[in-house]
Amino acid sequence: MSGVFLITLRSIGEDDRIQGIRDEEMKSLISTLGLEIAGEISFTLKEISVSTYIGKGQAEECLIAIRASEADEVIINAFISPRQEKNLESILGVPISDREAVILSIFFQNARSREARLQIEKAEAEYLRPRLADREARLSQQRGGVRGAKGEGERKIELERRLIDQRIHTLDREIKAVENVRKTQRKEREKRRVFSFALTGYTNAGKSTILNALTDAGVLAENKLFATLDTTTRALKLPNGQNVLLSDTVGFISDLPEVLIKAFSSTLEEALSADAIIIVADASHPDAYGCLRKTKETLDNLGVLDKAKILVINKTDDIYDDIAYASLIKEPFIIVEASIKNGIGKKELLEAMSEVTDEAFMDISVTEPVSSDIISRLAKDGDIRSIDYSDTEVTVKARIRKDMASKYRR
């Protein structure tokens, strides 16, 4: 393979630094796919062309640059319609992928669990379907002969579309079944009233590294975007003796395609159902504070921003922007400055998690007749710390959620 040719676009008046960060993010996505950039070009876009997204003159400039680079594929850092994609391919003479296609490819490459693979396959099918429909519409407009007759190519596309529709229907059923299993598991956890934390944040911020450091989960942690897509939940005992669950979640990114947000709704439900959220910010990112804003915006849209209690500022051994870092540490959360990969901040994070649970739990002592079921009830609702018997009574000391304490008050 000769490599890919990258087209990046700027809007009039857009901040150069933010645009530069976005361009570098796109290059990181391409690198994650294992592709090399053979050439690139950047345009300022005054308006979007309905037929080709970029202007005709810009497309001609691209054609010259692509031929010079000998690239055999074009990637455009934008979301383009099926028709724009087809028209550009006709002009440039090479296949074109937009930002959505690149992210879909990364998700497909990194999905490991059955649930993640099903979700990605459905997202890819939904991405492909309108492209087939557009091809069919063009063939319908171009065909000649008997009025209403369909050519072989059009009939083939119709068949492909029906097969895609059938596959989407099948995938919906399979995904529903997997989601039901996840919901059952979640209900079982809720019955046990185990306090849960969810790790959230921008992709590659270090969430999986934190999960591994705290629980020995063995989750893949690479310096790549979207290295982990599968939800992993592990049990953990905090320094204050509290038993909790800790879940990893799929990372966020700017302009994440809506189809992928929907596809990974079950993963995001871990954040929705968690008792508390830990946000992980990457201090080495060129736009560290912008990434945090994006994370908070996503959590707010999910209606769970109020659950965010801890902000882990990770990779503090490689701070990119002191001003952004100063803004991060002023955020209204429990702040943990860390470099988890280097073993820095693990103790402080565990203490912060203990602090959060201390706010939610309380210690109680209950004395009842020996014949009562107090031990089994408290074991279900909390963590038993000690049991003392007398001839007729049993005294149980336990740690339970504050909202459960009224059940045991006399």
Side-chain angles (χ1 to χ4, degrees), residues 189 192-198 211 214-215 233-247 275-276 278 349-350 353-358 360-361 383 399 401:
R189 296 203 302 262
R192 297 197 301 270
R193 302 292 290 172
V194 181
F195 195 89
S196 59
F197 289 90
L211 184 69
L214 268 53
T215 69
T233 301
R234 292 290 184 269
L236 172 65
K237 190 166 188 175
L238 299 177
N240 64 354
Q242 184 65 52
N243 292 308
V244 299
L245 295 173
L246 181 62
S247 296
D275 294 292
I278 301 170
L349 175 54
L350 289 170
M353 293 170 71
S354 293
E355 183 179 337
V356 171
T357 59
D358 284 341
F361 286 79
D383 292 323
R399 184 174 173 84
R401 293 172 184 258

Side-chain angles (χ1 to χ4, degrees), residues 105-202:
S105 295
I106 293 172
F107 273 45
F108 182 81
Q109 175 179 281
N110 292 344
R112 287 172 174 79
S113 71
R114 179 169 178 264
E115 180 180 16
R117 289 185 176 279
L118 288 172
Q119 289 168 330
I120 290 304
E121 186 178 348
K122 181 187 174 186
E124 285 193 314
E126 290 176 339
Y127 178 80
L128 177 60
R129 192 188 187 284
R131 282 156 172 77
L132 287 176
D134 183 67
R135 284 166 57 197
E136 182 182 2
R138 286 197 303 276
L139 284 173
S140 177
Q141 293 168 0
Q142 295 167 7
R143 69 169 181 257
V146 180
R147 183 179 177 86
K150 294 187 177 183
E152 181 181 348
E154 191 174 359
R155 288 196 299 271
K156 182 180 178 183
I157 290 171
E158 277 190 334
L159 176 60
E160 289 176 350
R161 195 179 69 225
R162 284 199 298 272
L163 290 174
I164 286 178
D165 288 342
Q166 291 170 7
R167 185 55 183 157
I168 289 174
H169 182 68
T170 300
L171 288 167
D172 277 332
R173 290 202 314 268
E174 293 182 23
I175 290 171
K176 186 71 174 176
V178 174
E179 287 178 348
N180 286 337
V181 172
R182 182 186 292 279
K183 287 178 181 177
T184 300
Q185 293 172 339
R186 188 177 295 131
K187 285 179 181 177
E188 286 300 316
R189 296 203 302 262
E190 289 171 354
K191 282 181 184 178
R192 297 197 301 270
R193 302 292 290 172
V194 181
F195 195 89
S196 59
F197 289 90
L199 291 161
T200 65
Y202 218 69

